[in-house]
Amino acid sequence: MALLEVKDLQVEFPLGRKTLQALYGIDFALDKGERLGIVGESGAGKSVAAFSILNLLSKPGRISGGEILFEGRDLSKLNDKEMRTIRGNRISMIFQDPMMTLNPVLTIGTQMVECLKAHRDISSAEAREIAISKLREVMIPSPENRMDSYPHELSGGMRQRVVIAIALLTDPSIIIADEPTTALDVTIQAEIMALMLELCKTNNVGLILITHDLAVVSQVTERIMVMYAGRVVEEGYTQEVIKNPRHPYTRGLLKALPQENRPGQRLNQIPGSMPALDAIPAGCAFNPRCEFADGDCVKAVPDLVGEQGHRAACVHVDRIPAFVGAGGAE
Amino acid sequence: MSDTGAVPLVEIENVEKRFGGAGGFLSSPQPVVKALNDVTLTVPKGEAFCLVGESGCGKSTLARTVIGLHPPSAGEIRYRGKRIDNLSTRERRPYNQKMQMIFQNPYASLNPRMTVLQTLEEPLRIHRPQMSDAEIRDKVHAVMRSVGNDPAWGERYPHEFSGGQRQRISIARALMLDPEFIVADEPISALDVSIQAQVLNVMMDAQKERDLTYLFITHDLSVVEHFGSQVAVMYLGTVCEQAETRKLFSMPRHPYTQALLSAIPKMDGTGVNHVKMTGEVPTAMDLPKGCVFHPRCPHAMERCCHEVPTLKQNGSSQTACFAVEEGRI
Ligand SMILES: Nc1ncnc2c1ncn2[C@@H]1O[C@H](COP(=O)(O)OP(=O)(O)O)[C@@H](O)[C@H]1O
Ligand SMILES: Nc1ncnc2c1ncn2[C@@H]1O[C@H](COP(=O)(O)OP(=O)(O)O)[C@@H](O)[C@H]1O
Ligand code: SF4
Ligand SMILES: [Mg+2]
Ligand SMILES: [Mg+2]
């Protein structure tokens, strides 16, 4: 059995008289030490999916169906106290903004020691030692001194390293990272991604990496899940999906990338934009933007079809032409 | 693309920009931020001239200085050979029509209380008083169509649009006075991939149809490679390399450019293989002596710590680096 198994997860936001549905039953699984990427444009439901796992949905969001099985236990049924034994302990979360994790008025050392002592029965001295070793693991220079620093004394990249060190403190089995490098510069992004990849590999930690950047996902993850309007539209082995996308949305996203187009030429664009939750089209939600859409696409929501290593939810999956990037077009 | 021999459209010469220092009334002196240090760039007509570099390196400051939103602390900006950084508001007016700016955040740059129509009409009403209402209406509709927005949306307000539509409205506004030169400061950075493509297409179409010259600022190198004809790489307020885009990407010379290009995530499944730099990015308040890049540079030698390298032609690019000059890179 997989370490984490999300089954038919549904999330909704009751707003006054109407209720908006944000996730329409999504399924995914993560094995021990596996790295999964979740991609899709803003509003697709990536963060909602990730936040549901740890019961971090912002009000008034609620899980309205499905199961989140972690080591066989359904996390969606846990009370707050039980959840605290999982969150930040067995499953850690890294946000885009490091200050979602860090307390501005406490030193790095104090925060790390408190975090450890909340989950382990150890002395402050022991906790301090572990904290320093984790700061060293994330390549923070002179970690002993950094223990006494406040978050604002560090650069954005260093702060995100500290957050990674905190995420690793309790030797979790899964780290969920929601756009961890989106706010950072490309050279710092490369350093952080290389670091996360290596740490996950050496410690056999599972990773759920949420990002809108297909290239980052392709560098770091083994499997990928593409979301659109609250559903999974394609999933499979990362390189397989990226080299041979089967869903028109995934294909369109890849074709829109500058690096997949001849320099100076118009980019292949997808018309329109992601629908709002109260305006999700019937049938395949992508149909108004899809170049392959016809009458069949509005009749029913297509199921994910294909083999376990690569599935796509498109009525016309057999008709979608092979993807040819810039390399092939030359 | 560029008309060789002719006067370049825009020249930025030895421009410096410092913030702070003096300290206001009753306040202690502010630390001096050296945002631009001796920046010299030439933008020939017809180019899509890209400016890249990491946050805080001075891209927006340079954009604002060029467009006249703040004066340089030293140096000159010239437009078609005429110095424009020291003009009075009145003398500046004709240039304000020729030069337009597009910002990263269209939410902040569009007036929320004006309809799209009012926003687009405004520049014409101010600068083209001779135009009739019908002419103005026609022009607004034509420009809206050219950026891919439905003219029927004219009565709506900015908040009713998606991010991409809103950015196309700001592009439309920038195009209303038929400018020659557009400074675009990270115009697509806040947008999703599919929307980035839409907006970049609009900008490329406009360039072709209107013979525009762009100074295009971004931190996304794949966009530069696709869109730019020339590129200048900035680091801590200094231009470290400038070249034709193709040449810069096929043979980056400056060690910072090399590190920057190696950090672009690639989709070939080879993992992360970037050139590692040492140390942290210093701040513009505390610039390193000598070459601003030397504390992080894998090729730094004694000389780099106290002498400042200047941009020199080295093969296919202009590079400010002693290691390149000495043939060590
Ligand atoms: N607290 C909330 N109340 C209402 N709608 C929400 C809330 N949080 C998220 N949503 C909506 O849910 C959808 C998915 O959001 P999200 O998961 O944040 O997308 P993303 O893929 O960009 O991470 C969006 O349409 C968003 O507006
Ligand atoms: N109005 C200002 N006052 C003081 N410092 C400023 C001001 N504008 C920019 N700076 C500083 O100048 C440097 C360059 O900033 P900026 O041009 O915004 O960089 P970029 O656009 O490349 O991210 C930064 O150190 C920034 O903090
Ligand atoms: S001048 Fe020296 S320190 Fe500066 S980039 Fe070149 S080699 Fe590095
Ligand atoms: Mg999100
Ligand atoms: Mg800027």
Side-chain angles (χ1 to χ4, degrees):
Chain A
M1 196 182 58
L3 179 64
L4 177 74
E5 226 177 319
V6 173
K7 290 182 176 169
D8 195 28
L9 177 63
Q10 298 171 44
V11 169
E12 60 187 24
F13 292 100
L15 295 170
R17 245 172 298 128
K18 63 180 174 182
T19 292
L20 298 178
Q21 187 150 2
L23 294 184
Y24 288 84
I26 67 169
D27 300 273
F28 64 93
L30 190 77
D31 283 328
K32 196 160 169 39
E34 193 179 26
R35 296 181 305 279
L36 168 75
I38 305 183
V39 298
E41 293 174 285
S42 348
K46 307 182 295 295
S47 297
V48 165
F51 286 27
S52 324
I53 297 172
L54 289 175
N55 197 13
L56 288 174
L57 279 174
S58 60
K59 295 250 153 18
R62 64 163 184 239
I63 295 175
S64 49
E67 308 183 291
I68 299 165
L69 301 174
F70 174 64
E71 297 175 329
R73 274 166 98 192
D74 187 350
L75 298 186
S76 70
K77 304 280 185 311
L78 300 188
N79 63 30
D80 284 355
K81 188 162 166 252
E82 292 165 325
M83 183 49 97
R84 276 198 294 274
T85 66
I86 304 285
R87 191 196 303 141
N89 185 27
R90 306 297 323 286
I91 305 180
S92 299
M93 180 113 195
I94 298 173
F95 303 92
Q96 175 173 338
D97 178 1
M99 295 315 287
M100 294 269 289
T101 307
L102 299 173
N103 185 331
V105 300
L106 297 179
T107 63
I108 304 299
T110 307
Q111 304 189 41
M112 294 183 80
V113 167
E114 277 180 10
C115 169
L116 258 172
K117 289 178 72 180
H119 295 291
R120 299 269 184 287
D121 189 15
I122 54 172
S123 71
S124 297
E126 286 168 317
R128 202 181 144 79
E129 210 147 292
I130 296 175
I132 291 173
S133 77
K134 294 294 173 189
L135 289 177
R136 190 167 289 124
E137 262 186 69
V138 298
M139 318 252 245
I140 287 190
S142 43
E144 289 85 356
N145 301 337
R146 283 291 84 80
M147 290 285 281
D148 301 325
S149 300
Y150 288 90
H152 70 89
E153 295 173 305
L154 306 177
S155 69
M158 277 300 151
R159 255 179 251 158
Q160 203 57 303
R161 279 174 199 263
V162 170
V163 168
I164 296 172
I166 293 176
L168 289 167
L169 266 183
T170 52
D171 301 313
S173 39
I174 299 176
I175 292 180
I176 302 174
D178 190 359
E179 311 263 6
T181 56
T182 302
L184 300 174
D185 280 314
V186 50
T187 59
I188 301 176
Q189 164 170 289
E191 281 168 19
I192 300 264
M193 278 303 157
L195 182 71
M196 284 187 61
L197 181 58
E198 192 198 301
L199 290 173
C200 287
K201 276 186 181 163
T202 47
N203 300 318
N204 200 26
V205 179
L207 176 69
I208 298 177
L209 175 67
I210 296 169
T211 167
H212 61 274
D213 190 328
L214 287 157
V216 167
V217 162
S218 88
Q219 284 184 312
V220 176
T221 68
E222 298 152 299
R223 292 183 72 97
I224 189 175
M225 178 166 116
V226 184
M227 291 188 65
Y228 189 83
R231 292 192 171 89
V232 177
V233 294
E234 185 158 6
E235 64 94 22
Y237 293 110
T238 305
Q239 285 308 313
E240 168 62 24
V241 171
I242 281 184
K243 296 214 169 85
N244 184 24
R246 303 302 302 143
H247 194 283
Y249 177 61
T250 317
R251 191 172 176 276
L253 277 184
L254 283 159
K255 287 184 71 146
L257 292 175
Q259 56 268 43
E260 298 295 337
N261 286 269
R262 306 257 299 268
Q265 303 291 304
R266 284 189 115 245
L267 295 163
N268 288 295
Q269 64 181 45
I270 308 176
S273 54
M274 175 84 65
L277 294 188
D278 58 0
I280 295 183
C284 169
F286 187 58
N287 83 73
R289 305 177 70 188
C290 181
E291 56 179 313
F292 305 102
D294 62 16
D296 292 342
C297 305
V298 296
K299 286 182 192 149
V301 177
D303 288 328
L304 279 170
V305 292
E307 291 135 41
Q308 272 312 310
H310 190 175
R311 299 185 301 159
C314 169
V315 187
H316 298 309
V317 70
D318 297 326
R319 272 199 222 162
I320 310 306
F323 170 69
V324 184
E330 286 287 335
Chain B
M1 279 260 244
S2 57
D3 22 350
T4 39
V7 180
L9 191 66
V10 177
E11 291 163 283
I12 301 161
E13 199 172 281
N14 305 115
V15 164
E16 287 178 26
K17 182 67 194 175
R18 290 180 294 273
F19 294 106
F25 177 64
L26 290 185
S27 65
S28 48
Q30 301 292 304
V32 178
V33 178
K34 294 182 168 174
L36 298 174
N37 304 296
D38 200 17
V39 171
T40 298
L41 290 173
T42 299
V43 184
K45 190 163 162 24
E47 298 281 339
F49 195 107
C50 289
L51 206 54
V52 286
E54 298 183 279
S55 40
C57 73
K59 303 181 297 296
S60 296
T61 304
L62 186 60
R64 294 169 151 271
T65 308
V66 169
I67 208 83
L69 290 176
H70 46 48
S73 312
E76 290 187 9
I77 313 285
R78 287 192 295 273
Y79 192 81
R80 292 190 180 277
K82 167 111 174 73
R83 184 164 175 190
I84 57 165
D85 59 88
N86 56 356
L87 299 182
S88 68
T89 313
R90 222 174 64 85
E91 293 169 318
R92 176 96 201 179
R93 226 174 153 192
Y95 296 96
N96 292 346
Q97 302 183 36
K98 298 278 173 222
M99 307 167 80
Q100 292 287 328
M101 184 145 174
I102 301 168
F103 297 89
Q104 170 170 356
N105 185 352
Y107 299 67
S109 63
L110 295 174
N111 185 337
R113 280 176 298 276
M114 278 163 76
T115 64
V116 172
L117 212 57
Q118 289 167 337
T119 297
L120 297 183
E121 284 175 352
E122 188 185 44
L124 295 175
R125 299 221 182 271
I126 295 171
H127 293 281
R128 304 273 189 279
Q130 76 286 3
M131 281 177 86
S132 71
D133 284 357
E135 285 169 331
I136 288 181
R137 186 70 37 123
D138 287 350
K139 171 105 193 175
V140 167
H141 284 185
V143 173
M144 273 185 84
R145 268 192 297 270
S146 77
V147 299
N149 278 352
D150 186 343
W153 298 346
E155 299 304 329
R156 297 201 208 162
Y157 291 87
H159 71 152
E160 298 176 59
F161 294 94
S162 68
Q165 288 165 341
R166 228 172 315 207
Q167 193 56 289
R168 293 202 298 250
I169 296 168
S170 3
I171 295 173
R173 189 182 54 178
L175 294 175
M176 285 318 299
L177 295 170
D178 300 312
E180 298 174 319
F181 179 59
I182 291 186
V183 177
D185 190 0
E186 310 248 16
I188 60 172
S189 303
L191 304 173
D192 274 311
V193 172
S194 76
I195 313 298
Q196 286 192 349
Q198 295 171 1
V199 173
L200 213 51
N201 281 343
V202 164
M203 294 190 67
M204 291 193 291
D205 292 347
Q207 186 181 28
K208 276 212 189 76
E209 283 156 23
R210 297 160 169 271
D211 195 22
L212 286 171
T213 305
Y214 285 121
L215 181 63
F216 187 97
I217 293 169
T218 177
H219 59 264
D220 186 337
L221 291 145
S222 63
V223 170
V224 175
E225 188 170 18
H226 185 79
F227 175 81
S229 52
Q230 294 269 330
V231 53
V233 181
M234 286 183 72
Y235 182 82
L236 269 184
T238 306
V239 175
C240 55
E241 181 158 6
Q242 198 221 308
E244 262 177 50
T245 303
R246 247 168 232 226
K247 293 185 174 147
L248 186 109
F249 278 84
S250 61
M251 204 169 75
R253 301 295 302 273
H254 195 284
Y256 177 65
T257 315
Q258 292 178 346
L260 197 59
L261 295 194
S262 77
I264 306 174
K266 303 186 188 53
M267 294 214 284
D268 52 9
T270 52
V272 193
N273 306 300
H274 61 293
V275 174
K276 293 187 182 61
M277 291 184 283
T278 50
E280 286 259 328
V281 189
T283 72
M285 262 183 283
D286 187 18
L287 285 185
K289 292 217 169 14
C291 168
V292 281
F293 188 56
H294 88 258
R296 308 188 69 205
C297 178
H299 303 276
M301 305 267 275
E302 173 60 23
R303 185 182 176 192
C304 307
C305 308
H306 46 259
E307 262 184 79
V308 180
T310 53
L311 271 185
K312 292 209 177 77
Q313 194 70 41
N314 283 293
S316 56
S317 70
Q318 291 185 44
T319 326
C321 171
F322 294 125
V324 173
E325 264 177 55
E326 293 161 10
R328 289 190 285 120
I329 297 182

